[in-house]
Amino acid sequence: HFPLLAAAITAEVDVLLPNLYFACSEFGIDRNFRQTHSMTREALCTLVDGKEGMAYVKVRTVDTVSDKLRTYDASAECQNEVPCLNDAYFIDIQDFVIGSLGDINGESVLRNYFTPVCEGCNSVVAKLVDEERKNVWDNVPLHFHLTEWKDLQAKLKVMIES
């Protein structure tokens, strides 16, 4: 990933940068520093800023989903007399935060980072996590000081058509 990122930066192929910065940010900080010796200081700073931003976003994801679940009326979906979401919570948050965004989806969160709930509440939690994950992904370019996906897609379209 790192050589591709360096090449995309040098060639000014902006449309590839969000995915490459993101992929590189998923590695540990020690690897980030070891693998970026051919990149400019500015590019390294962008990578580290984005990495920190993504870690913060994962914490905010837990907070946002928890807030939504606290106010969600699951009585229609829940299979229990007292809705399970009343007592449900995230577990092992530290592992969630350092995990890959690619591993953060409704099903894996329920399996690895959430107290057990009934099947009806499972679908509620999974839907909320997946919605929040989409919001996170929609903002990935901004964490790496890039333009929004729609602008990058328009640039790609121009490149392809020319």
Side-chain angles (χ1 to χ4, degrees):
H1 295 101
F2 292 95
L4 289 173
L5 176 59
I9 291 168
T10 301
E12 298 180 6
V13 185
D14 294 355
V15 296
L16 298 177
L17 293 178
N19 288 326
L20 291 171
Y21 268 121
F22 173 75
C24 291
S25 75
E26 294 277 283
F27 291 102
I29 195 73
D30 59 327
R31 187 161 181 193
N32 288 162
F33 284 112
R34 283 196 320 267
Q35 295 289 320
T36 56
H37 54 56
S38 65
M39 292 170 40
T40 65
R41 180 180 169 98
E42 181 181 352
L44 178 58
C45 287
T46 298
L47 176 60
V48 172
D49 284 350
K51 181 178 184 64
E52 287 181 354
M54 293 305 299
Y56 175 76
V57 164
K58 290 175 193 172
V59 172
R60 288 290 309 146
T61 297
V62 171
D63 190 41
T64 300
V65 170
S66 296
D67 283 348
K68 287 180 180 180
L69 289 173
R70 259 193 297 279
T71 60
Y72 188 87
D73 180 9
S75 56
E77 292 93 346
C78 189
Q79 298 167 347
N80 297 318
E81 192 172 309
V82 176
C84 350
L85 294 182
N86 290 357
D87 297 321
Y89 55 91
F90 278 89
I91 56 175
D92 296 329
I93 295 173
Q94 69 281 1
D95 295 335
F96 178 88
V97 171
I98 63 171
S100 169
L101 183 63
D103 295 334
I104 297 173
N105 60 58
E107 188 177 306
S108 72
V109 166
L110 284 161
R111 188 175 49 252
N112 300 307
Y113 306 113
F114 208 76
T115 56
V117 292
C118 73
E119 283 301 313
C121 290
N122 265 353
S123 64
V124 171
V125 174
K127 180 181 175 209
L128 289 173
V129 168
D130 290 340
E131 286 172 359
E132 193 57 29
R133 182 178 186 269
K134 182 189 178 315
N135 292 338
V136 168
W137 184 253
D138 288 346
N139 290 307
V140 162
L142 303 178
H143 292 289
F144 296 99
H145 312 292
L146 301 166
T147 60
E148 295 181 13
W149 286 115
K150 64 180 167 86
D151 299 328
L152 293 166
Q153 289 168 340
K155 275 185 167 181
L156 179 59
K157 184 177 181 183
V158 168
M159 288 174 63
I160 291 171
E161 292 174 352
S162 63

